[in-house]
């Protein structure tokens, strides 16, 4: 199976640059797997498609202001202030982070960086321009990052975000992501409350979104693509919420591809979720046998990305491309701040 098999043509003007207000006013394409019917709704209508006993799995990761800028040391007469961009991906030790850097080639082993409120030293190399940076600082790292960091918006968003909270879900809790689990951006506290009152259970899992979101599939053969690892957690309480639904034949519906990757990483040979934590490199593409997920609520993803491959595994490649082309015709908004779709 080749990467080009997951291409679709997207007009640039359909890439959403700003979030819709309110959050749940975005459009919602609903695809019924059993009948093949497609409906065009708004996200606040999602309550019409969920029923008592359903378990909605959400990812409660929180995006950190992970994009920071530094000056390479020592300074010279030719030094350009803040000439290096660093994107924090994953904490490896208390003071060491895995990072994407620009320009990577100029960051040799031992290169010192001045971020103003702290310094950093390149202490290791990884694949495709990855650098491991040891940070030197006084105080609390998270507080410094809040002071100097920027929200790591994807490169296809070129407009400045006026309200940083709009790149966080309303249920974000655990710091650590380099990108938002964007399917969750559509939920409001009021909508979640409405769902719980109608008997929908909420299960909270964690996956810190990292390099996998930014790395394109460069291989012609998708099987040669290597997924970057991302940290996940499922605690005992939330594993039991999901397992009870599985035992009773109730639907488990994931909000976003990150939630899918968590539950499908944590499922055991017996078909039930095991409380667990660690790194996952799970790559879901057509032919994958889903063990937990019965429904998916997500956004519209980039052509030839691992995310559209996951969707294709869930509803079929041809149906996925058919639905995406319909969304283009209906002028849906795409990607992080775009509209949503539900496959139920």
């Amino acid at each position: 199976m080749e990467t080009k098999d997951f291409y679709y043509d997207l007009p640039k003007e359909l890439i959403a640059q700003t979030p819709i207000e309110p959050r749940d006013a975005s459009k919602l394409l609903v695809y019924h797997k059993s009948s093949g019917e497609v409906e065009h709704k708004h996200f606040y209508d999602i309550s019409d498609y969920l029923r008592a006993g359903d378990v909605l799995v959400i990812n409660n990761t929180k995006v950190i202001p992970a994009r920071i800028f530094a000056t390479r040391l020592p300074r010279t007469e030719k030094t350009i202030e803040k000439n290096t961009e660093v994107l924090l991906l994953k904490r490896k030790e208390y003071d060491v982070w895995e990072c994407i850097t620009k320009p990577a080639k100029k960051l040799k082993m031992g290169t010192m960086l001045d971020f103003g409120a702290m310094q950093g030293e390149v202490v290791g190399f990884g694949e495709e321009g990855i650098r491991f940076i040891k940070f030197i600082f006084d105080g609390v790292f998270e507080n410094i990052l809040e002071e100097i960091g920027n929200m790591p918006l994807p490169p296809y968003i070129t407009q400045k975000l006026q309200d940083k909270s709009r790149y966080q879900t309303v249920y974000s809790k655990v710091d650590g992501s380099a990108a938002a689990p964007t399917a969750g951006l559509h939920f409001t506290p009021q909508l979640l409350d409405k769902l719980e009152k109608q008997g929908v259970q909420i299960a909270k899992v964690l996956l810190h979104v990292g390099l996998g979101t930014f790395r394109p599939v460069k291989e012609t053969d998708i099987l040669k693509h290597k997924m970057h690892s991302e940290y996940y957690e499922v605690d005992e309480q939330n594993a039991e919420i999901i397992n009870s639904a599985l035992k009773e034949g109730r639907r488990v519906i994931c909000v976003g591809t990150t939630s899918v990757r968590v539950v499908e990483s944590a499922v055991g040979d017996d078909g039930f979720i095991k409380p667990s934590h660690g790194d996952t490199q799970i790559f879901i593409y057509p032919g994958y046998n889903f063990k937990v997920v019965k429904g998916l609520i997500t956004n519209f993803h980039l052509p030839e990305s691992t995310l559209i491959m996951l969707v294709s595994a869930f509803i079929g490649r041809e149906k996925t491309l058919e639905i995406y082309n319909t969304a283009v015709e209906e002028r849906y908004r795409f990607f992080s701040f775009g509209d949503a779709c539900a496959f139920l």
Side-chain angles (χ1 to χ4, degrees), residues 285-299:
Y285 53 85
Y288 180 83
N289 178 34
F290 288 88
K291 304 169 186 67
V292 178
V293 184
K294 300 301 180 186
L296 172 61
I297 299 169
T298 188
N299 280 17

Side-chain angles (χ1 to χ4, degrees), residues 22-41:
R23 290 173 180 259
D24 60 358
S26 55
K27 292 165 70 173
L28 174 69
L29 185 151
V30 182
Y31 169 63
H32 300 271
K33 292 178 67 180
S34 59
S35 66
E37 180 187 4
V38 171
E39 296 183 89
H40 302 287
K41 299 288 184 176

